[in-house]
Amino acid sequence: MKLSFAGKRVVISGGAIGFGREMAQQFYALGADVYVCDIQAAAMADLAESGIKTAVVDLLDRQAATAWIGDITASAAIDVLINNAGGVAGQQGKALEEVSDVEWDNVVEINLGAAFALSRAVAPSMKRHQQGRIINICSGAALKASLTGVQAYCAAKHAVLGLTRQLAHELGPHCIQVNAIAPGFVFTNEATQQQWNNFGPERQQQVLNNIALRRLGTVQDIAHAALFWRQIWRHS
Ligand SMILES: NC(=O)c1ccc[n+]([C@@H]2O[C@H](COP(=O)([O-])OP(=O)(O)OC[C@H]3O[C@@H](n4cnc5c(N)ncnc54)[C@H](O)[C@@H]3O)[C@@H](O)[C@H]2O)c1
């Protein structure tokens, strides 16, 4: 089967590195118009050279997040929104009593608040067109304790899964599909490499033993899951 996204508009949050960047490049290679935002300006400029439309947006600012979607939907509808921006905001696991309010809030806001704000912003246009797809990049930490040890990350990813389920039911009757992808441990940046090194050989082997394929996932694995697309059955 040859996939084509020609004529489709795909919007991805957090596309500077890792999954977001790979998904942006794969959707673009398959013909989609791709829109990406991130706080990393240099990476956005670099990605823009390939033809992907980029914007520097701090998604901790919900107004800015909403305005970015408004700019895109002003010209045409969005077919796919991928809420990918997230992560641990540079934090490492530490004792609960040492976690500050700001540290907690930042992680919850980038993982959960941004997914809420961007989904809310695309919903009216997707409803008008009676089609669309929202993909939330969740985590294994949505289903069990997080390998990162960051409490806010685990809590936020569990909440993203709840948001996914709720929106799937709310928006499904409008022919809008809402799904989550829950990746396991994947090397995407220095922090994941550092975390893996810190595990040491024994814990690394334990992690691998708990994976069906006995290997870590790759950014390509995650992008391929996001490319899954089918026409939504329309109510008559
Ligand atoms: N790498 C993994 O092992 C793994 C595993 C499970 C889930 N995830 C999730 O997958 C998604 C992508 O992860 P990743 O490892 O590719 O990259 P990442 O988690 O390091 O960051 C994703 C992107 O979000 C951007 N971002 C962070 N704060 C932002 C803000 N305030 N405004 C705009 N953009 C912001 C970052 O600059 C980065 O490009 C995240 O939601 C992450 O939580 C990652």
Side-chain angles (χ1 to χ4, degrees):
M1 185 175 67
K2 175 101 177 73
L3 284 177
S4 170
F5 288 87
K8 301 291 182 196
R9 302 176 96 214
V10 178
V11 172
I12 302 172
S13 69
I17 60 151
F19 303 155
R21 191 176 183 93
E22 180 68 20
M23 289 187 289
Q25 288 170 331
Q26 290 210 17
F27 273 107
Y28 186 74
L30 291 169
D33 277 337
V34 179
Y35 297 77
V36 168
C37 82
D38 206 286
I39 34 171
Q40 298 190 43
M44 289 300 90
D46 179 47
L47 211 52
E49 282 181 18
S50 65
I52 291 169
K53 297 170 185 77
T54 66
V56 179
V57 180
D58 183 352
L59 293 169
L60 296 180
D61 176 349
R62 287 197 196 160
Q63 276 190 344
T66 305
W68 176 56
I69 295 294
D71 286 348
I72 300 168
T73 50
S75 51
I78 290 169
D79 296 287
V80 183
L81 166 68
I82 305 182
N83 287 308
N84 167 75
V88 294
Q91 297 175 37
Q92 293 191 336
K94 57 184 174 183
L96 179 60
E97 57 272 30
E98 291 169 17
V99 178
S100 72
D101 286 346
V102 171
E103 287 171 329
W104 173 273
D105 289 347
N106 279 348
V107 171
V108 172
E109 188 56 27
I110 188 56
N111 285 281
L112 179 61
F116 156 68
L118 295 174
S119 301
R120 182 178 59 179
V122 297
S125 152
M126 285 186 175
K127 277 184 184 173
R128 262 197 311 280
H129 290 86
Q130 289 287 293
Q131 72 157 39
R133 182 147 197 219
I134 299 174
I135 302 172
N136 294 325
I137 305 300
C138 224
S139 170
L143 304 164
K144 56 186 187 212
S146 174
L147 292 172
T148 66
V150 176
Q151 301 86 349
Y153 183 70
C154 189
K157 289 301 197 190
H158 273 69
V160 170
L161 194 53
L163 178 69
T164 306
R165 290 194 167 117
Q166 195 64 44
L167 292 186
H169 279 265
E170 181 179 335
L171 300 177
H174 299 278
C175 302
I176 301 164
Q177 256 184 320
V178 187
N179 297 103
I181 296 172
F185 193 101
V186 181
F187 293 129
T188 52
N189 52 30
E190 279 177 28
T192 47
Q193 184 67 58
Q194 187 60 51
Q195 190 187 348
W196 183 253
N197 295 344
N198 291 345
F199 284 166
E202 203 174 320
R203 180 118 193 258
Q204 288 172 2
Q205 196 55 52
Q206 277 173 3
V207 172
L208 291 172
N209 289 345
N210 283 324
I211 299 171
L213 296 179
R214 302 294 190 271
R215 67 157 175 86
L216 297 182
T218 64
V219 291
Q220 289 78 20
D221 290 330
I222 307 309
H224 290 161
L227 290 173
F228 170 75
W229 168 273
R230 68 186 168 86
Q231 201 59 38
I232 315 283
W233 174 77
R234 285 171 182 275
H235 297 283
S236 52

